[in-house]
Amino acid sequence: MIRYSLICENAHEFEGWFSESADFDRQVASGFLTCPVCNSASVSKSLMAPSVSTARKKEEMQTVAMDAARREAFVKLKEAIATIKANSEDVGTRFPEEARKIHYGEVDARGIIGQATPDEAQSLVEEGIEIAALPILPEDVN
Ligand SMILES: [Zn+2]
């Protein structure tokens, strides 16, 4: 078997296996050999050197692996935020006020989420009230 790096008229690169060199010519002539991306039958042997295509493939695989890790982290973050939201009362802009009431025992302790300006958040922290900023996920921004 011979492996050829192939390229179609739309510059899609792929690989093909052939029993012999003439097998490639036969498949092209019969229109049997088509690009897996765009289905074009205009396919020729790629002039790219094997070492270059190997290096490129490695780079692509690393990119894919990184994306998968990022996606996983993103999904975990989303789940964590969903859990917090499910177990908290959304008090909106009353957040600083409610956080103080909980901190000073004026109301029963419970989880709350809401909005606070940077100044409000800062003074809550200075009063020793534990707050955490939730990251805003892309899908929340419309
Ligand atoms: Zn193509």
Side-chain angles (χ1 to χ4, degrees):
M1 296 290 278
I2 317 164
R3 188 182 69 177
Y4 285 136
S5 286
L6 307 171
I7 188 162
C8 80
E9 59 182 338
N10 296 316
H12 299 129
E13 288 160 31
F14 56 100
E15 285 176 351
W17 290 86
F18 305 92
S19 55
E20 52 179 342
S21 164
D23 188 26
F24 169 80
D25 299 326
R26 266 199 303 272
Q27 288 198 26
V28 169
S30 64
F32 180 75
L33 189 65
T34 56
C35 167
V37 180
C38 66
N39 226 25
S40 164
S42 279
V43 173
S44 54
K45 287 177 209 166
S46 168
L47 296 175
M48 189 185 285
S51 62
V52 175
S53 86
T54 306
R56 214 169 108 150
K57 198 155 263 164
K58 212 185 227 167
E59 209 170 272
E60 278 168 13
M61 279 177 59
Q62 276 173 352
T63 309
V64 169
M66 252 167 44
D67 283 350
R70 249 204 308 263
R71 219 178 358 253
E72 201 182 309
F74 184 76
V75 167
K76 283 203 177 121
L77 181 64
K78 241 168 87 168
E79 283 170 1
I81 292 172
T83 304
I84 292 169
K85 284 187 175 171
N87 294 305
S88 308
E89 183 190 340
D90 190 352
V91 294
T93 52
R94 290 188 295 114
F95 181 82
E97 184 188 329
E98 289 297 318
R100 276 196 185 86
K101 280 189 195 164
I102 291 167
H103 183 70
Y104 295 112
E106 290 170 31
V107 294
D108 287 342
R110 67 193 198 282
I112 58 167
I113 55 170
Q115 290 96 50
T117 65
D119 282 351
E120 286 168 343
Q122 181 63 35
S123 53
L124 287 173
V125 170
E126 279 165 8
E127 285 175 51
I129 299 170
E130 274 181 50
I131 57 167
L134 288 181
I136 294 168
L137 298 177
E139 64 177 8
D140 292 337
V141 183
N142 289 318

